[in-house]
Amino acid sequence: MGIQLKPGIAQPVLILAALCFCLIPASSASRDTAEQSKYIGPGSCAATSCHGSVKPVAGSRVYQNEYSTWILQDKHSHAYGALTGDVGERMARILKLESKAEEAPKCLACHALYTTPEQRGRPFEMADGVSCENCHGPASAWLGPHTTRDWPHEKSVALGMHDTRNVIHRTEKCLECHLGTKNKSVDHEMIAAGHPDLYFELDSFSAVMPRHWKVPRESSPGKPAEEAAWAGVRDWGTGQAVQLRGEMERLVWRARNERFDKKDVWPEYSELSCFACHHSLGPAKDSWRQAHGYEGRRPGDPAWNSSRYAVFRLLAKQIDSGNGQELDRHLLTMSNEMSKLNPDRMVVANAASGGRSIGAANRRAACSDAVRPGCHTAHDAAHSGRRGEYRCRRRACGRASGDGDGFAVHRVCKDTKPANDAEVRGGDQCAVPAA
């Protein structure tokens, strides 16, 4: 999984690389190296000469106010506090956790820096929420050395730092909680108790945090290490590809009943379109659902939630038409089966895992500039990454509106170009899944 992007290589290649691995199991190398280091808490990063400056430091390739941004603006720092409110306590009662939410391992796994005593290098408070080491890895082994001049990033990674410069690895780390794993995930039971449904989009989520890193990343002060105009497209496309892989893996282990708690729940309703059931029942003559019909499924059966794939599939075909169509075929088989009232576990598991062979074929194409022709007009015209990203997405949405193979979308982007970046970001939600 260790794809390294060298300066000067076009960033769209990383999107293709993400597609290559979208259905291949993630490497465990980072987990192995993490065992060499221990967690020491966010206070270790808070010095003003490190990452605790009150404002960006001039002449530095990093801002050096990352801790201040996290503690003042980032909702991750309030993740633990969400467990202590009325909703958190009510959820604990509904789910019969036998403890308060802020004491339950089920909740702390994603709402705090939750470790075993053996993994702690020094005391710290879980009330700090989701902090530096949740994303960057246990820091005791690399904290001091990484501050020295000319210390290579690769040495920090070898000592347990998570390689968040690699967008694939960064997305994988986010998705451990924003999508879930066998050991920690959000299901329909938790949603019914009050937990929000999980969805993830790397680019916009990063902006909302807000970002505490420079885009483009710099190899030295003022020297970009990547192509700025493609950063948004890269993050969005890579995030969608890695999420798709994670979602398919989740379907496989749910279909095979490999949950850590061994609760045999099938089908898992959180995989389906919420709006297939959760909508107002008005007069039949006003029903857009009935007017649209129920292509590919029996009326009354809730559909698989295809919204997280509806637009990315078009980018995948731009990158590699043949493998994009093969990916479509596997997911259409899976979608049709999941959209039955009682889907066959093995059919779903086989279809969801079958696309892994696509990754091996696409790996050979990862050195090509394959995605650029698909959005060359946007890139050539772009004076910023955000405008280029918008045009690429609008092109994809335009194609989605004419789609007729079972991944239908009901609403697409308007043809009018947003007047500014805020409106562009507000218009990013191009597609709404069939219900």
Side-chain angles (χ1 to χ4, degrees):
M1 289 289 295
I3 297 177
Q4 299 295 327
L5 193 64
K6 297 180 180 179
I9 295 179
Q11 297 297 348
V13 174
L14 192 51
I15 302 176
L16 176 60
L19 176 62
C20 294
F21 295 100
C22 67
L23 294 175
I24 295 179
S27 168
S28 61
S30 61
R31 302 188 196 99
D32 296 337
T33 55
E35 294 176 1
Q36 303 172 13
S37 194
K38 293 188 176 183
Y39 294 92
I40 51 181
S44 303
C45 309
T48 55
S49 59
C50 296
H51 296 287
S53 175
V54 296
K55 62 181 180 179
V57 174
S60 174
R61 65 178 180 81
V62 297
Y63 288 127
Q64 292 189 237
N65 69 339
E66 294 84 0
Y67 176 88
S68 302
T69 299
W70 165 75
I71 202 168
L72 294 175
Q73 301 181 55
D74 194 331
K75 290 184 179 180
H76 286 103
S77 64
H78 304 296
Y80 179 88
L83 303 178
T84 64
D86 294 340
V87 173
E89 297 306 322
R90 185 176 64 191
M91 285 182 62
R93 292 194 300 270
I94 294 174
L95 295 172
K96 298 180 174 59
L97 296 182
E98 299 180 354
S99 68
K100 293 183 177 180
E102 63 266 31
E103 299 171 355
K106 181 183 183 74
C107 304
L108 291 172
C110 281
H111 283 262
L113 183 57
Y114 185 62
T115 67
T116 64
E118 295 75 21
Q119 292 175 307
R120 291 190 174 207
R122 66 178 66 162
F124 56 85
E125 296 294 330
M126 283 192 294
D128 291 329
V130 175
S131 57
C132 312
E133 291 169 294
N134 285 86
C135 303
H136 295 284
S140 65
W142 52 262
L143 181 68
H146 96 292
T147 64
T148 60
R149 185 179 296 275
D150 298 326
W151 174 263
H153 173 68
E154 291 74 19
K155 284 189 176 181
S156 294
V157 173
L159 293 174
M161 176 186 280
H162 294 311
D163 187 12
T164 56
R165 292 184 184 179
N166 183 305
V167 185
I168 295 174
H169 295 170
R170 187 195 312 166
T171 307
E172 289 172 343
K173 178 53 61 177
C174 298
L175 290 176
E176 287 182 7
C177 283
H178 286 276
L179 180 69
T181 67
K182 289 183 183 180
N183 297 322
K184 53 181 182 181
S185 63
V186 171
D187 56 16
H188 195 256
E189 180 182 18
M190 291 184 65
I191 295 172
H195 197 287
D197 187 19
L198 295 183
Y199 63 95
F200 181 77
E201 199 268 89
L202 180 63
D203 185 34
S204 61
F205 274 44
S206 298
V208 170
M209 284 178 62
R211 289 182 177 90
H212 52 258
W213 59 93
K214 289 187 176 182
V215 178
R217 183 172 56 84
E218 295 181 353
S219 57
S220 60
K223 185 178 180 180
E226 54 190 5
E227 190 176 348
W230 276 101
V233 179
R234 175 201 63 190
D235 288 3
W236 176 81
T238 303
Q240 294 301 290
V242 178
Q243 178 182 251
L244 177 61
R245 183 198 66 198
E247 191 169 1
M248 293 300 99
E249 290 177 345
R250 185 179 67 181
L251 261 177
V252 170
W253 58 255
R254 279 176 167 171
R256 294 175 178 171
N257 191 26
E258 295 174 351
R259 288 172 52 137
F260 78 99
D261 57 9
K262 295 303 179 183
K263 289 184 178 180
D264 191 4
V265 178
W266 187 257
E268 169 51 53
Y269 287 172
S270 63
E271 299 282 0
L272 307 178
S273 173
C274 301
F275 298 104
C277 300
H278 296 279
H279 61 83
S280 60
L281 298 175
K285 65 182 180 62
D286 299 328
S287 173
W288 63 262
R289 292 177 175 82
Q290 294 167 7
H292 178 268
Y294 305 92
E295 182 180 357
R297 60 189 174 103
R298 186 182 71 90
D301 291 352
W304 175 65
N305 185 358
S306 65
S307 63
R308 299 177 179 108
Y309 179 57
V311 179
F312 172 73
R313 61 189 289 262
L314 301 167
L315 178 60
K317 290 179 180 178
Q318 287 288 320
I319 296 171
D320 187 321
S321 177
N323 285 321
Q325 291 177 7
E326 181 69 6
L327 181 63
D328 244 9
R329 185 178 66 82
H330 284 290
L331 265 69
L332 183 58
T333 299
M334 182 277 300
S335 175
N336 286 342
E337 189 64 33
M338 278 298 295
S339 299
K340 295 178 180 178
L341 198 60
N342 186 25
D344 186 292
R345 290 175 182 258
M346 291 310 299
V347 172
V348 171
N350 290 338
S353 60
R356 291 175 180 174
S357 61
I358 300 171
N362 274 335
R363 188 194 300 255
R364 295 190 295 271
C367 293
S368 70
D369 211 1
V371 73
R372 187 183 295 271
C375 287
H376 69 279
T377 302
H379 182 268
D380 293 342
H383 298 290
S384 68
R386 182 55 64 188
R387 184 177 301 173
E389 178 184 2
Y390 166 72
R391 292 181 181 177
C392 278
R393 290 191 193 182
R394 190 176 67 178
R395 180 174 181 176
C397 289
R399 294 188 177 188
S401 66
D403 194 359
D405 64 359
F407 292 101
V409 291
H410 295 300
R411 190 169 63 212
V412 296
C413 299
K414 295 180 179 179
D415 290 332
T416 55
K417 187 180 78 172
N420 54 48
D421 285 354
E423 293 179 14
V424 168
R425 185 163 295 284
D428 278 353
Q429 299 299 323
C430 297
V432 175

